[in-house]
């Protein structure tokens, strides 16, 4: 083997070069749509009219105004989105973890059934639940229920959105965590049981610490989905001050006039939190996925 | 072997630890009444863990599915409240849908056939090809390259974007004269095969699927990369010693080991395939034409485009749900039996 | 929202729907929450960007000046004409939570709402005789429901049958648009332009269905006349098969002269080609002129100009937006005031110049309107027909519109006249 590798070192490693070339081509492919959006967002309207979206703005066409204007119009949406997305993400991931535990590392009959029911819930098309969802939240008038606490009552639509997203996120989180929990060595758990640990203790002491990587995956995945959702927001939020960022972004779209530079700047501002999450936590995401896949 | 013990029982005295897998000492049985024993059973003790979730899901998700199904049995239209008259419940909407599917398939005409077919094609083609692309990328990235983390992050980035954004990008990408795709083809001398990717009915659906694959293959790559890394290296060595060439080695040894990865990635991909609605909606509005219409869009159109055909839309939604389940369930069941789920 | 009837019907619905948990909660709140301030008009519309949002803002300011005790809640629905607003409104009406007023195309689009009796009839408090006199008959017809009651107040009118063109490109090709008197003439003009210049003879977007649909509409008017067109709107395509097919074929013929990227760009991106001199003609509603106005060095009559679509002189093919009063209404009197204002000279004078449309009333002073819009107003005053449109909701019911759009969505890819014709027979 070592002779072979020595031989290999003496000639240019075409396969390595080909590998890098391929990868770089893929990078270009993966980034080019983003690049076009970025270029558009820093052009003036005239610049956009005159050039292809992919080319950078020419000297007279550079403009930072689209970003300023987009940010101004998306500000409150950003705040509202953060207000509802973060709790919903954390809640759905946590409940997913607990549920997966209750269905995987404990022993009782009927687990498979409950599990099937939960997993089937992953595949419901969101467009079909809009009307019953808004019916439900009209009936459960959260605003009146919370009227005793005015700040909460004002945000009741966001709270409704949070609860909704939590519920709809539980199935996929459960699945993600189950995949990992299944692979946890059961002898560890048995040993703990022999020591007299309760189900709850086993969760806190053993399972939870092991789940951290998978939490990264669930949190990132859920945050992306919840942050980017538009349909639920449209039906659940009617008060302008509660608009979330995806709705505000849609409002940048005119019906008869399009200001692409502002729209693109707005799109990037909207995407910034999720982009950052992937950039900063990409490592944890990859590790966590390892836990689920192996 | 370890026995099934309820966690709160005292560790039984050694002489009653049975090796037959049965319950331990009869002492516990005679001192605890049945109810108490039940409340200490695994089932009850794990209830607080899985019950809240199940209730929430039952309410929100299955409540909605149930509502959809019941509405689909009525003939509700328009903006007045529905009146439920169980005597009039029937499957008319379903008959209508499927007869239109058949009519569309045989004679052309009703769009239901196309929406149904395209949904099917989208779900399967997108999932399978995204998995393959992800696997190939993972194999490339696994070759101990430098800057692996950066590559990985960049491949993942598209997934973080909302469809609202990527649909606009891809409309530009597919522009026949100035878009990257055709420009790229011309650059490498393949100008002859440039097409009107999103206006030519032959290519529309596949152009959309391609864009979706762009968005999610990064996720598959990450999953497979982790899966590949988890395979112990001696497996590779053993296969090499057996004289298997690279391709065979991969096929026989590596890929079966990736079953669990494939399962979880496939489920996530299917979810996104169902969300393709958002992408098509932004790119084409509610009317993409025969070649790219999908059930989710059709459902939305029937309900919300001013037409208020709630019952028919609900039937389509139920069909879509059953279709998705139908595609993924056999696969999931197999994986469950194999212990990979 | 708070009347007994709706409370009872909700409970009944819940009991029989079997949504057990919801049924448990149904007893508590009943949903008669705060229905909003009676003096506040909640206006839902889709004018969220650019000049349009300035226009609605001006209208609101004018209203608040005229009625100091009333205020407006400018609750724009997420943008893009139609879908998001329709989703929100339909949903809210279902929940008995309708806003005070919302924007809608009158005519055909109203049908979904009038069929379910959710729009209030507007009496003399809104449609007084003075206002009636200021509207043309065709426009007034669109504002009525099947029983002849007024339910909507149109605010603005855009013209659909326009042919815009880049003066320089036409000059260098030697084409004089005033000589074009039929869609066939336009076709030969485009051949000439194709031969003489590098520009695309016609800028168009085939990515969206409505642009192709409206082109077909105007070709039909141009070739077969307004009466045939209106007959098609009324009773379908079968009685006028030849005219319909011929118009479809003409669209296919035109297609050879579209810009190369028609399938991947939106109409305003295609319009940029006209501005840049890369395209000659553009068929579009006169909102396209707003884009010309906001471009530098691209002036009316000097660099761009307009003729009615060949064959459609004397026809003012209207696209109009209106406001309605849903029932039950959270602020009935305030909404009446809003609707009166929308139909008033002052309101329309403030809104339309900024929006780039002409007022629905005929008696609004001309001063605030630029030269192009003044010319359009003249054409409107002297027009002998103001037909409705399928593409913009006024001509047919939403169901028919949706089916016709389906047909055209496939047409815009396949360009198959026979198939599209058979789709259209099913649609109407």
């Amino acid at each position: 083997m070592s002779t072979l590798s020595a031989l290999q070192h003496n000639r240019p490693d075409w396969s390595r070069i080909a590998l890098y070339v391929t990868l770089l081509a893929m990078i270009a492919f993966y980034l080019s749509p983003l690049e076009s959006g970025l270029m558009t967002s820093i052009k003036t309207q005239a610049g956009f009219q005159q050039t292809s979206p992919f080319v950078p703005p020419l000297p007279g066409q550079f403009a930072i105004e689209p970003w300023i204007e987009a940010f101004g119009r998306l500000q409150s949406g950003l705040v509202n989105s953060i207000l509802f997305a973060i709790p919903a993400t954390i809640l759905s991931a946590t409940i997913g973890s607990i549920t997966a535990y209750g269905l995987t590392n404990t022993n009782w009959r009927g687990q498979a059934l409950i599990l099937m029911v939960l997993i089937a819930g992953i595949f419901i098309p969101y467009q079909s639940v809009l009307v019953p969802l808004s019916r439900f939240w009209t009936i459960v008038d959260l605003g009146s229920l919370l009227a005793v606490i005015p700040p909460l009552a004002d945000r009741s639509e966001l709270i409704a959105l949070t609860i909704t997203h939590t519920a709809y996120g539980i199935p996929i989180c459960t699945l993600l965590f189950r995949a990992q929990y299944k692979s946890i060595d059961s002898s560890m758990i048995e040993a703990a049981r022999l020591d007299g640990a309760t189900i709850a203790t086993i969760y806190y002491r053993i399972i939870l610490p092991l789940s951290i990587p998978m939490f990264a995956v669930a949190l990132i995945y859920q945050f992306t989905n919840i942050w980017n959702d538009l349909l639920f927001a449209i039906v659940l939020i009617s008060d302008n001050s509660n608009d979330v960022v995806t709705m505000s972004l849609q409002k940048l779209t005119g019906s008869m006039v399009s200001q692409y530079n502002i729209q693109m700047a707005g799109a990037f501002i909207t995407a910034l939190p999720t982009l950052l999450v992937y950039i900063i936590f990409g490592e944890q995401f990859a590790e966590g996925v390892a836990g689920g896949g192996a | 072997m370890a026995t099934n013990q309820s966690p709160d029982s005292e560790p039984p005295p050694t002489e009653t630890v049975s090796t037959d897998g049965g319950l331990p000492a009869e002492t516990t049985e005679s001192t605890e009444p049945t109810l108490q024993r039940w409340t200490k059973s695994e089932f009850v003790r794990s209830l607080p863990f899985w019950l809240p979730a199940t209730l929430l899901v039952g309410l929100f998700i299955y409540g909605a599915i149930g509502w959809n199904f019941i509405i689909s049995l009525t003939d509700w239209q328009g903006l007045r409240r529905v009146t439920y008259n169980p005597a009039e419940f029937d499957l008319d909407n379903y008959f209508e849908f499927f007869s239109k599917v058949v009519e569309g398939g045989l004679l052309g005409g009703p769009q239901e056939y196309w929406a149904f077919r395209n949904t099917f094609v989208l779900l399967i083609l997108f999932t399978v090809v995204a998995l393959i692309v992800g696997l190939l990328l993972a194999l490339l990235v696994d070759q101990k390259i430098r800057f692996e983390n950066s590559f990985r992050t960049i491949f993942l980035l598209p997934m973080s974007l909302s469809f609202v954004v990527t649909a606009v990008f891809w409309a530009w990408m597919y522009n026949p004269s100035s878009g990257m795709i055709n420009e790229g083809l011309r650059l490498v001398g393949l100008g002859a095969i440039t097409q009107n990717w999103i206006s030519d009915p032959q290519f529309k659906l596949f152009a959309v699927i391609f864009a979706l694959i762009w968005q999610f293959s990064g996720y598959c790559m990450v999953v497979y990369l982790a899966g590949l890394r988890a395979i112990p290296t001696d497996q590779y060595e053993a296969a090499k010693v057996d004289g298997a060439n690279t391709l065979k080695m991969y096929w026989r040894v590596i890929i079966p080991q990736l079953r669990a990865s494939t399962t979880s990635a496939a489920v996530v991909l299917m979810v996104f395939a169902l969300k393709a609605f958002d992408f098509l909606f932004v790119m084409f509005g509610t009317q993409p034409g025969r070649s790219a219409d999908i059930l989710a869009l059709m459902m939305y159109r029937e309900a919300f485009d001013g037409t208020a055909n709630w019952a028919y839309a609900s039937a389509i939604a139920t069909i879509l749900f059953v279709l998705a389940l139908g595609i993924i369930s056999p696969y999931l069941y197999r994986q469950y039996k194999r212990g990979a789920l | 929202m708070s009347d007994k009837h709706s409370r009872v019907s909700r409970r009944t619905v819940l009991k029989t729907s079997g949504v057990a948990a919801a049924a448990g909660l149904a007893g508590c709140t009943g949903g008669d929450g705060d229905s909003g301030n009676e003096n506040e008009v909640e206006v839902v519309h889709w004018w969220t960007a650019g000049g349009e949002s300035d226009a609605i803002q001006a209208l609101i300011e004018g209203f608040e000046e005229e009625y100091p005790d009333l205020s407006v809640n400018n609750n724009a629905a997420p943008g893009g004409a139609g879908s998001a607003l329709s989703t929100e409104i339909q949903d809210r009406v279902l929940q008995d939570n309708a806003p005070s007023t919302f924007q809608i195309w009158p005519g055909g689009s109203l049908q979904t709402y009038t069929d379910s009796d959710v729009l209030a009839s507007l009496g003399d408090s809104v449609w007084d005789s003075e206002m009636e006199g200021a509207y043309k008959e065709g426009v007034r017809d669109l504002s009525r429901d099947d029983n002849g009651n007024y339910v909507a107040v149109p605010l603005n009118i855009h013209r659909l049958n326009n042919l815009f063109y880049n003066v320089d490109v036409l000059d260098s090709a030697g084409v004089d648009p005033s000589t074009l008197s039929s869609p066939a003439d336009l076709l030969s003009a485009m051949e000439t332009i194709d031969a003489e210049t590098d520009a695309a003879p016609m800028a168009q977007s085939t990515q969206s269905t409505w642009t192709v649909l409206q082109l077909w509409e105007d070709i039909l008017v141009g070739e077969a006349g307004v009466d045939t067109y209106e007959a098609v709107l009324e009773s379908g395509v079968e009685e006028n098969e030849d005219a319909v097919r011929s118009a479809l074929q003409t669209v296919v013929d035109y297609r050879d002269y579209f810009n190369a990227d028609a399938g991947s760009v939106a109409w305003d991106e295609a319009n940029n080609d006209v501005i840049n001199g890369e395209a000659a003609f553009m068929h579009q509603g006169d909102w396209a002129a707003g884009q010309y106005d906001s471009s530098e060095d691209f002036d009316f009559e000097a660099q761009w100009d307009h003729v009615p679509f060949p064959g459609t002189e004397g026809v003012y093919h209207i696209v109009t937006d209106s406001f309605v009063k849903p029932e039950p209404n959270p602020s009935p009197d305030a909404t009446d005031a809003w609707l009166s204002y929308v139909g008033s000279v002052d309101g329309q004078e403030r809104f339309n110049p900024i929006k780039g449309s002409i007022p629905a009333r005929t008696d609004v002073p001309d001063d605030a309107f630029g030269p192009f819009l003044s010319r359009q107003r003249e054409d409107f005053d002297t027009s002998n027909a103001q037909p409705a449109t399928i593409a913009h909701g006024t001509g047919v019911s939403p169901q028919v519109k949706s089916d016709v759009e389906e047909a055209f969505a496939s047409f815009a890819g396949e360009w198959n006249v026979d198939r599209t014709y058979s789709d259209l027979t099913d649609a109407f």
Side-chain angles (χ1 to χ4, degrees), chain B residues 51-67:
Chain B
L51 194 62
T54 312
L55 289 178
L56 261 181
V57 168
L59 171 65
F60 279 92
I61 299 189
Y62 283 94
I65 296 177
W67 183 91

Side-chain angles (χ1 to χ4, degrees), chain A residues 190-210:
Chain A
E190 291 298 336
R193 290 239 186 89
L194 281 174
D195 283 346
T198 61
I199 290 194
T201 323
I202 295 179
Y203 180 73
Y204 287 121
R205 293 274 175 77
I206 304 181
I207 307 289
L208 196 52
L210 286 178

Side-chain angles (χ1 to χ4, degrees), chain A residues 10-202:
Chain A
N10 286 338
R11 45 184 169 84
D13 201 347
W14 292 116
S15 60
R16 292 303 281 184
I17 296 179
L19 177 66
Y20 278 101
V21 164
T22 314
L23 282 169
L24 284 172
M26 297 304 286
I27 294 285
F29 173 62
Y30 277 85
L31 289 181
S32 46
L34 295 171
E35 185 257 354
S36 65
L38 199 56
M39 290 298 121
T40 306
S41 70
I42 51 177
K43 288 182 189 166
T44 59
Q45 190 74 335
F48 177 73
Q49 284 173 352
Q50 287 155 17
T51 53
S52 146
F54 295 97
V55 302
L58 303 176
Q61 300 167 343
F62 181 80
I64 201 78
E65 282 78 27
W67 284 79
I68 299 176
E69 165 138 12
F71 186 71
R73 295 171 69 169
L74 291 178
Q75 271 192 95
S76 69
L78 282 171
V79 170
N80 288 335
S81 277
I82 291 179
L83 279 180
F84 95 89
I86 293 188
T89 306
I90 297 177
L91 273 174
S92 56
T94 312
I95 297 182
S97 161
I98 296 175
T99 311
Y101 170 66
L103 292 173
T104 313
N105 302 105
T106 53
N107 290 315
W108 47 277
R109 307 220 344 239
Q111 276 182 334
L113 180 65
I114 303 282
L115 194 62
M116 267 173 15
V117 163
L118 281 177
I119 292 182
I122 296 179
F123 300 104
I124 184 163
Y126 277 22
Q127 314 84 43
S128 64
V129 308
L130 297 181
V131 175
L133 198 58
S134 70
R135 271 302 257 118
F136 174 74
W137 285 114
T138 309
I139 294 166
V140 179
D141 191 352
L142 215 48
S144 331
L145 286 177
L146 293 173
V148 287
I149 316 171
L152 280 187
D154 283 339
R155 298 294 192 186
S156 62
E157 287 173 340
L158 289 178
I159 297 178
L161 197 57
T162 307
I163 298 176
T164 309
H165 274 293
T166 305
Y168 279 88
I170 289 176
I172 188 73
C173 290
T174 306
L175 183 64
L176 287 175
F177 281 107
R178 174 181 170 84
Q180 190 202 13
Y181 290 169
K182 213 160 178 354
S183 61
I184 290 184
D185 200 355
S186 55
S187 54
M188 229 190 324
I189 302 180
E190 291 298 336
R193 290 239 186 89
L194 281 174
D195 283 346
T198 61
I199 290 194
T201 323
I202 295 179

Side-chain angles (χ1 to χ4, degrees), chain C residues 63 104 204 211-212 318 326 342 373 415:
Chain C
F63 175 74
I104 187 171
Q204 180 66 284
T211 43
V212 180
I318 58 176
V342 162
L373 286 177
W415 306 107

